Amino acid sequence: MYRTGSSLSEFEDNNKVLAKKTKIVMLARADLLAECLTQAISTRFQGNEVVSLSEADSLLDGNLDDVALIMLYRLPASTFPSVIRTIHEFHPRASIGLVVENADEVDSSIAGFVDEGLIHGVLPLNLHLDVCLTAIDLLMKGGEHFPAALLRRLAPRSEAGGATPAQRETRGETMIPAPKSDIGRGLLTSREVQILDLICMGTQNKIIADRLGLSENTVKVHVRNIYKKMNVRNRTEAASRYFRHDGDASPPRWRN
């Protein structure tokens, strides 16, 4: 009986397959927070390669392939047009996330890219780390994450000239006015209204995820966004506020 082994070429091919990982790029001016966030991302997403860049020109490197997400932090507003253009040209499949100090103080020119749907997520620094990492996971899976404060700021523009992609859609989800005056602090997407309906029926996140074909982490992000927009702390308050009304019609349900 003879032992058989893989050839050297097969061994090298297998190593190449194993070594190839999708990349998360952090394009940022180096500071302590950028380093800490990069380390946290590396720890959370060990199946991905995390690449730190300080210059936008590095995005043109031919070896920088299979990029799933590009995070932008502390870049001058004047460089955004060229950076966004470079990303869409050389990394068209990559989601773009923007880390900001405060969602209420995003430069108007940068907010315009959100308004046009060219940025897929905005992550304020006051987010809890677990929420931030969950939002990053959502972006990598093709979802979007926008703070209610930023959507409120953009809302007047959509009312004046028609709803724009960043306000109308969350990857195919239509933005609709929240059904109650109590919920007027933000806009709920059709997906959020759908999840809110299930929350009001006492459905657990895991069951909601199964019914809607989502990951449980994605559902958790939606639930947190719902809480923020409704200004509530838990499911009981959300359900109570959703069904509360002052003589007006019953709240609208989710529509296809």
Short mmCIF file of all heavy atoms in Angstrom, two decimals, residues 130-182:
data_model
loop_
_atom_site.label_atom_id
_atom_site.label_comp_id
_atom_site.label_asym_id
_atom_site.label_seq_id
_atom_site.Cartn_x
_atom_site.Cartn_y
_atom_site.Cartn_z
N ASP A 130 -20.15 47.98 19.53
CA ASP A 130 -20.87 46.81 19.03
C ASP A 130 -21.84 47.19 17.91
O ASP A 130 -21.97 46.47 16.92
CB ASP A 130 -21.66 46.13 20.17
CG ASP A 130 -20.75 45.39 21.13
OD1 ASP A 130 -19.59 45.12 20.74
OD2 ASP A 130 -21.19 45.08 22.25
N VAL A 131 -22.51 48.34 18.07
CA VAL A 131 -23.44 48.81 17.04
C VAL A 131 -22.67 49.19 15.78
O VAL A 131 -23.09 48.89 14.66
CB VAL A 131 -24.26 50.01 17.55
CG1 VAL A 131 -25.20 50.52 16.46
CG2 VAL A 131 -25.05 49.62 18.80
N CYS A 132 -21.53 49.85 15.97
CA CYS A 132 -20.69 50.26 14.84
C CYS A 132 -20.25 49.04 14.03
O CYS A 132 -20.34 49.02 12.80
CB CYS A 132 -19.48 51.04 15.34
SG CYS A 132 -18.37 51.62 14.03
N LEU A 133 -19.77 48.00 14.71
CA LEU A 133 -19.30 46.79 14.02
C LEU A 133 -20.45 46.05 13.34
O LEU A 133 -20.28 45.49 12.26
CB LEU A 133 -18.58 45.88 15.01
CG LEU A 133 -17.27 46.43 15.59
CD1 LEU A 133 -16.71 45.49 16.65
CD2 LEU A 133 -16.24 46.64 14.49
N THR A 134 -21.62 46.09 13.97
CA THR A 134 -22.80 45.46 13.35
C THR A 134 -23.19 46.22 12.09
O THR A 134 -23.56 45.63 11.07
CB THR A 134 -23.98 45.44 14.33
OG1 THR A 134 -23.61 44.68 15.49
CG2 THR A 134 -25.21 44.78 13.70
N ALA A 135 -23.10 47.55 12.14
CA ALA A 135 -23.40 48.36 10.96
C ALA A 135 -22.40 48.09 9.84
O ALA A 135 -22.77 48.03 8.66
CB ALA A 135 -23.39 49.85 11.33
N ILE A 136 -21.13 47.92 10.21
CA ILE A 136 -20.11 47.59 9.21
C ILE A 136 -20.42 46.24 8.57
O ILE A 136 -20.29 46.07 7.35
CB ILE A 136 -18.71 47.58 9.86
CG1 ILE A 136 -18.29 49.02 10.20
CG2 ILE A 136 -17.67 46.93 8.94
CD1 ILE A 136 -17.00 49.12 10.99
N ASP A 137 -20.85 45.28 9.38
CA ASP A 137 -21.24 43.97 8.85
C ASP A 137 -22.39 44.13 7.86
O ASP A 137 -22.43 43.48 6.80
CB ASP A 137 -21.65 43.05 10.01
CG ASP A 137 -21.94 41.63 9.56
OD1 ASP A 137 -21.17 41.10 8.73
OD2 ASP A 137 -22.93 41.06 10.02
N LEU A 138 -23.35 45.00 8.20
CA LEU A 138 -24.48 45.26 7.31
C LEU A 138 -24.02 45.85 5.99
O LEU A 138 -24.48 45.46 4.91
CB LEU A 138 -25.47 46.20 8.01
CG LEU A 138 -26.70 46.63 7.21
CD1 LEU A 138 -27.57 45.42 6.88
CD2 LEU A 138 -27.51 47.66 7.99
N LEU A 139 -23.09 46.80 6.04
CA LEU A 139 -22.57 47.42 4.82
C LEU A 139 -21.87 46.38 3.93
O LEU A 139 -22.03 46.40 2.71
CB LEU A 139 -21.59 48.53 5.17
CG LEU A 139 -22.15 49.78 5.86
CD1 LEU A 139 -21.03 50.77 6.14
CD2 LEU A 139 -23.22 50.43 5.02
N MET A 140 -21.14 45.48 4.55
CA MET A 140 -20.43 44.46 3.78
C MET A 140 -21.39 43.50 3.09
O MET A 140 -21.04 42.89 2.07
CB MET A 140 -19.47 43.69 4.69
CG MET A 140 -18.30 44.51 5.19
SD MET A 140 -17.13 43.52 6.13
CE MET A 140 -16.58 42.36 4.89
N LYS A 141 -22.57 43.37 3.64
CA LYS A 141 -23.56 42.47 3.05
C LYS A 141 -24.49 43.18 2.07
O LYS A 141 -25.48 42.62 1.63
CB LYS A 141 -24.37 41.81 4.17
CG LYS A 141 -23.54 40.86 5.02
CD LYS A 141 -24.32 40.31 6.19
CE LYS A 141 -23.46 39.35 7.01
NZ LYS A 141 -24.18 38.87 8.22
N GLY A 142 -24.17 44.44 1.76
CA GLY A 142 -24.96 45.17 0.78
C GLY A 142 -26.05 46.03 1.36
O GLY A 142 -26.86 46.59 0.61
N GLY A 143 -26.10 46.16 2.68
CA GLY A 143 -27.11 47.01 3.30
C GLY A 143 -26.65 48.44 3.43
O GLY A 143 -25.56 48.81 2.96
N GLU A 144 -27.45 49.26 4.06
CA GLU A 144 -27.12 50.66 4.28
C GLU A 144 -27.42 51.03 5.73
O GLU A 144 -28.28 50.43 6.37
CB GLU A 144 -27.91 51.57 3.34
CG GLU A 144 -27.53 51.38 1.88
CD GLU A 144 -28.22 52.38 0.96
OE1 GLU A 144 -29.16 53.05 1.43
OE2 GLU A 144 -27.82 52.49 -0.21
N HIS A 145 -26.70 52.03 6.22
CA HIS A 145 -26.91 52.49 7.60
C HIS A 145 -26.75 54.00 7.64
O HIS A 145 -25.66 54.52 7.38
CB HIS A 145 -25.90 51.83 8.55
CG HIS A 145 -26.05 52.28 9.97
ND1 HIS A 145 -26.87 51.63 10.87
CD2 HIS A 145 -25.50 53.33 10.64
CE1 HIS A 145 -26.82 52.26 12.03
NE2 HIS A 145 -25.99 53.29 11.92
N PHE A 146 -27.85 54.70 7.98
CA PHE A 146 -27.80 56.15 8.09
C PHE A 146 -28.44 56.58 9.40
O PHE A 146 -29.53 56.12 9.73
CB PHE A 146 -28.53 56.82 6.92
CG PHE A 146 -27.91 56.55 5.58
CD1 PHE A 146 -28.48 55.64 4.71
CD2 PHE A 146 -26.76 57.21 5.20
CE1 PHE A 146 -27.91 55.38 3.49
CE2 PHE A 146 -26.18 56.95 3.98
CZ PHE A 146 -26.75 56.04 3.11
N PRO A 147 -27.79 57.47 10.14
CA PRO A 147 -28.40 57.98 11.38
C PRO A 147 -29.66 58.78 11.07
O PRO A 147 -29.72 59.48 10.05
CB PRO A 147 -27.31 58.89 11.97
CG PRO A 147 -26.06 58.52 11.25
CD PRO A 147 -26.47 58.05 9.90
N ALA A 148 -30.64 58.68 11.95
CA ALA A 148 -31.89 59.42 11.75
C ALA A 148 -31.63 60.92 11.68
O ALA A 148 -32.29 61.64 10.94
CB ALA A 148 -32.87 59.10 12.88
N ALA A 149 -30.63 61.40 12.46
CA ALA A 149 -30.33 62.83 12.46
C ALA A 149 -29.93 63.32 11.08
O ALA A 149 -30.31 64.40 10.64
CB ALA A 149 -29.21 63.13 13.46
N LEU A 150 -29.18 62.50 10.35
CA LEU A 150 -28.74 62.88 9.02
C LEU A 150 -29.91 62.84 8.03
O LEU A 150 -30.05 63.72 7.18
CB LEU A 150 -27.63 61.95 8.54
CG LEU A 150 -27.05 62.22 7.15
CD1 LEU A 150 -26.50 63.65 7.07
CD2 LEU A 150 -25.96 61.22 6.82
N LEU A 151 -30.76 61.84 8.16
CA LEU A 151 -31.92 61.74 7.27
C LEU A 151 -32.88 62.91 7.49
O LEU A 151 -33.47 63.43 6.55
CB LEU A 151 -32.65 60.41 7.50
CG LEU A 151 -31.88 59.14 7.08
CD1 LEU A 151 -32.69 57.90 7.43
CD2 LEU A 151 -31.55 59.17 5.60
N ARG A 152 -33.02 63.33 8.75
CA ARG A 152 -33.88 64.49 9.04
C ARG A 152 -33.31 65.74 8.38
O ARG A 152 -34.05 66.58 7.87
CB ARG A 152 -33.99 64.72 10.55
CG ARG A 152 -34.86 63.70 11.27
CD ARG A 152 -35.27 64.22 12.64
NE ARG A 152 -34.11 64.49 13.48
CZ ARG A 152 -33.55 63.58 14.26
NH1 ARG A 152 -34.00 62.35 14.29
NH2 ARG A 152 -32.52 63.90 15.02
N ARG A 153 -32.00 65.85 8.41
CA ARG A 153 -31.34 67.02 7.82
C ARG A 153 -31.54 67.04 6.31
O ARG A 153 -31.69 68.10 5.70
CB ARG A 153 -29.85 66.97 8.16
CG ARG A 153 -29.06 68.12 7.56
CD ARG A 153 -27.61 68.02 7.99
NE ARG A 153 -26.77 68.90 7.21
CZ ARG A 153 -25.45 68.92 7.30
NH1 ARG A 153 -24.84 68.11 8.15
NH2 ARG A 153 -24.74 69.74 6.56
N LEU A 154 -31.55 65.89 5.67
CA LEU A 154 -31.71 65.81 4.22
C LEU A 154 -33.17 65.90 3.79
O LEU A 154 -33.46 66.20 2.65
CB LEU A 154 -31.12 64.50 3.69
CG LEU A 154 -29.61 64.33 3.84
CD1 LEU A 154 -29.20 62.93 3.40
CD2 LEU A 154 -28.86 65.38 3.03
N ALA A 155 -34.10 65.64 4.72
CA ALA A 155 -35.52 65.58 4.38
C ALA A 155 -36.05 66.83 3.68
O ALA A 155 -36.79 66.72 2.72
CB ALA A 155 -36.35 65.28 5.62
N PRO A 156 -35.70 68.05 4.13
CA PRO A 156 -36.24 69.24 3.45
C PRO A 156 -35.91 69.28 1.97
O PRO A 156 -36.71 69.73 1.16
CB PRO A 156 -35.57 70.39 4.21
CG PRO A 156 -35.27 69.84 5.56
CD PRO A 156 -34.91 68.41 5.31
N ARG A 157 -34.72 68.77 1.57
CA ARG A 157 -34.36 68.77 0.16
C ARG A 157 -35.27 67.86 -0.64
O ARG A 157 -35.67 68.17 -1.75
CB ARG A 157 -32.91 68.30 0.00
CG ARG A 157 -31.88 69.30 0.46
CD ARG A 157 -30.54 68.82 -0.02
NE ARG A 157 -29.56 68.93 1.04
CZ ARG A 157 -28.33 68.49 0.95
NH1 ARG A 157 -27.94 67.90 -0.17
NH2 ARG A 157 -27.48 68.63 1.93
N SER A 158 -35.60 66.70 -0.07
CA SER A 158 -36.44 65.76 -0.80
C SER A 158 -37.86 66.30 -0.94
O SER A 158 -38.53 66.06 -1.93
CB SER A 158 -36.47 64.41 -0.09
OG SER A 158 -37.14 64.49 1.14
N GLU A 159 -38.32 67.05 0.08
CA GLU A 159 -39.66 67.62 0.00
C GLU A 159 -39.72 68.69 -1.08
O GLU A 159 -40.73 68.89 -1.73
CB GLU A 159 -40.05 68.21 1.36
CG GLU A 159 -40.25 67.14 2.43
CD GLU A 159 -40.37 67.74 3.81
OE1 GLU A 159 -40.33 68.99 3.90
OE2 GLU A 159 -40.52 66.99 4.78
N ALA A 160 -38.59 69.40 -1.28
CA ALA A 160 -38.58 70.47 -2.27
C ALA A 160 -38.44 69.95 -3.69
O ALA A 160 -39.05 70.47 -4.61
CB ALA A 160 -37.43 71.44 -1.96
N GLY A 161 -37.63 68.91 -3.87
CA GLY A 161 -37.36 68.46 -5.23
C GLY A 161 -37.65 67.02 -5.49
O GLY A 161 -37.13 66.45 -6.44
N GLY A 162 -38.43 66.37 -4.65
CA GLY A 162 -38.70 64.95 -4.84
C GLY A 162 -37.70 64.13 -4.06
O GLY A 162 -36.55 64.51 -3.90
N ALA A 163 -38.13 63.00 -3.55
CA ALA A 163 -37.27 62.15 -2.73
C ALA A 163 -36.07 61.67 -3.52
O ALA A 163 -36.17 61.37 -4.69
CB ALA A 163 -38.07 60.97 -2.19
N THR A 164 -34.93 61.63 -2.85
CA THR A 164 -33.69 61.21 -3.48
C THR A 164 -33.34 59.79 -3.06
O THR A 164 -33.90 59.29 -2.09
CB THR A 164 -32.55 62.16 -3.09
OG1 THR A 164 -32.51 62.22 -1.66
CG2 THR A 164 -32.79 63.55 -3.64
N PRO A 165 -32.41 59.13 -3.74
CA PRO A 165 -32.13 57.72 -3.46
C PRO A 165 -31.80 57.43 -2.01
O PRO A 165 -32.28 56.45 -1.45
CB PRO A 165 -30.93 57.42 -4.37
CG PRO A 165 -31.10 58.38 -5.50
CD PRO A 165 -31.66 59.62 -4.91
N ALA A 166 -30.96 58.26 -1.39
CA ALA A 166 -30.56 57.96 -0.02
C ALA A 166 -31.72 58.04 0.95
O ALA A 166 -31.71 57.43 2.00
CB ALA A 166 -29.47 58.93 0.44
N GLN A 167 -32.75 58.83 0.59
CA GLN A 167 -33.91 58.96 1.47
C GLN A 167 -35.01 57.98 1.10
O GLN A 167 -35.79 57.58 1.94
CB GLN A 167 -34.45 60.39 1.41
CG GLN A 167 -33.45 61.39 1.98
CD GLN A 167 -33.63 62.74 1.36
OE1 GLN A 167 -33.59 62.88 0.15
NE2 GLN A 167 -33.83 63.73 2.18
N ARG A 168 -35.09 57.63 -0.20
CA ARG A 168 -36.16 56.73 -0.63
C ARG A 168 -35.81 55.27 -0.43
O ARG A 168 -36.68 54.45 -0.21
CB ARG A 168 -36.45 56.95 -2.12
CG ARG A 168 -37.07 58.25 -2.47
CD ARG A 168 -37.67 58.17 -3.86
NE ARG A 168 -36.73 57.60 -4.81
CZ ARG A 168 -35.96 58.31 -5.59
NH1 ARG A 168 -35.96 59.62 -5.53
NH2 ARG A 168 -35.14 57.72 -6.46
N GLU A 169 -34.51 54.97 -0.49
CA GLU A 169 -34.16 53.57 -0.54
C GLU A 169 -33.13 53.17 0.48
O GLU A 169 -32.25 53.93 0.82
CB GLU A 169 -33.62 53.20 -1.93
CG GLU A 169 -34.63 53.39 -3.03
CD GLU A 169 -34.07 52.88 -4.33
OE1 GLU A 169 -34.02 51.66 -4.49
OE2 GLU A 169 -33.66 53.70 -5.16
N THR A 170 -33.25 51.98 1.01
CA THR A 170 -32.22 51.31 1.74
C THR A 170 -32.06 49.98 1.05
O THR A 170 -32.62 48.98 1.44
CB THR A 170 -32.59 51.14 3.22
OG1 THR A 170 -32.83 52.41 3.79
CG2 THR A 170 -31.49 50.44 3.99
N ARG A 171 -31.29 50.01 -0.08
CA ARG A 171 -31.13 48.84 -0.93
C ARG A 171 -32.48 48.27 -1.33
O ARG A 171 -32.80 47.12 -1.07
CB ARG A 171 -30.30 47.77 -0.19
CG ARG A 171 -28.85 48.16 0.00
CD ARG A 171 -28.09 48.17 -1.29
NE ARG A 171 -26.72 48.62 -1.08
CZ ARG A 171 -25.85 48.71 -2.04
NH1 ARG A 171 -26.17 48.42 -3.27
NH2 ARG A 171 -24.63 49.12 -1.79
N GLY A 172 -33.31 49.11 -1.91
CA GLY A 172 -34.59 48.63 -2.43
C GLY A 172 -35.75 48.86 -1.48
O GLY A 172 -36.87 48.48 -1.78
N GLU A 173 -35.51 49.46 -0.32
CA GLU A 173 -36.58 49.70 0.62
C GLU A 173 -37.06 51.14 0.50
O GLU A 173 -36.29 52.08 0.62
CB GLU A 173 -36.08 49.47 2.06
CG GLU A 173 -35.64 48.05 2.30
CD GLU A 173 -34.95 47.91 3.62
OE1 GLU A 173 -35.12 48.79 4.48
OE2 GLU A 173 -34.23 46.93 3.79
N THR A 174 -38.35 51.34 0.25
CA THR A 174 -38.89 52.69 0.07
C THR A 174 -39.00 53.40 1.40
O THR A 174 -39.51 52.85 2.37
CB THR A 174 -40.28 52.60 -0.57
OG1 THR A 174 -40.17 51.89 -1.79
CG2 THR A 174 -40.85 53.98 -0.82
N MET A 175 -38.51 54.63 1.45
CA MET A 175 -38.65 55.43 2.65
C MET A 175 -40.05 56.00 2.69
O MET A 175 -40.52 56.59 1.73
CB MET A 175 -37.65 56.58 2.65
CG MET A 175 -36.19 56.14 2.62
SD MET A 175 -35.72 55.25 4.09
CE MET A 175 -35.89 56.53 5.32
N ILE A 176 -40.75 55.80 3.81
CA ILE A 176 -42.11 56.32 3.94
C ILE A 176 -42.22 57.10 5.24
O ILE A 176 -41.47 56.85 6.18
CB ILE A 176 -43.15 55.18 3.94
CG1 ILE A 176 -42.92 54.24 5.14
CG2 ILE A 176 -43.11 54.39 2.67
CD1 ILE A 176 -43.97 53.19 5.30
N PRO A 177 -43.12 58.09 5.32
CA PRO A 177 -43.26 58.83 6.56
C PRO A 177 -43.69 57.91 7.69
O PRO A 177 -44.50 57.01 7.49
CB PRO A 177 -44.38 59.85 6.23
CG PRO A 177 -44.39 59.92 4.74
CD PRO A 177 -44.01 58.56 4.26
N ALA A 178 -43.13 58.12 8.86
CA ALA A 178 -43.55 57.32 10.01
C ALA A 178 -45.03 57.55 10.26
O ALA A 178 -45.54 58.65 10.10
CB ALA A 178 -42.74 57.74 11.24
N PRO A 179 -45.76 56.51 10.69
CA PRO A 179 -47.20 56.60 10.76
C PRO A 179 -47.76 57.49 11.85
O PRO A 179 -48.91 57.86 11.80
CB PRO A 179 -47.63 55.14 11.00
CG PRO A 179 -46.44 54.48 11.59
CD PRO A 179 -45.27 55.16 10.97
N LYS A 180 -46.98 57.85 12.85
CA LYS A 180 -47.50 58.62 13.97
C LYS A 180 -46.73 59.92 14.15
O LYS A 180 -45.55 60.00 13.85
CB LYS A 180 -47.38 57.80 15.26
CG LYS A 180 -48.28 56.60 15.25
CD LYS A 180 -49.70 57.05 15.27
CE LYS A 180 -50.61 55.97 14.80
NZ LYS A 180 -51.87 56.47 14.37
N SER A 181 -47.42 60.91 14.68
CA SER A 181 -46.74 62.16 14.97
C SER A 181 -45.64 61.93 16.02
O SER A 181 -44.62 62.59 16.02
CB SER A 181 -47.73 63.20 15.50
OG SER A 181 -48.40 62.71 16.66
N ASP A 182 -45.87 60.96 16.91
CA ASP A 182 -44.85 60.63 17.90
C ASP A 182 -43.58 60.09 17.27
O ASP A 182 -42.53 60.12 17.87
CB ASP A 182 -45.39 59.57 18.88
CG ASP A 182 -46.37 60.16 19.88
OD1 ASP A 182 -46.42 61.39 19.95
OD2 ASP A 182 -47.06 59.40 20.56
#
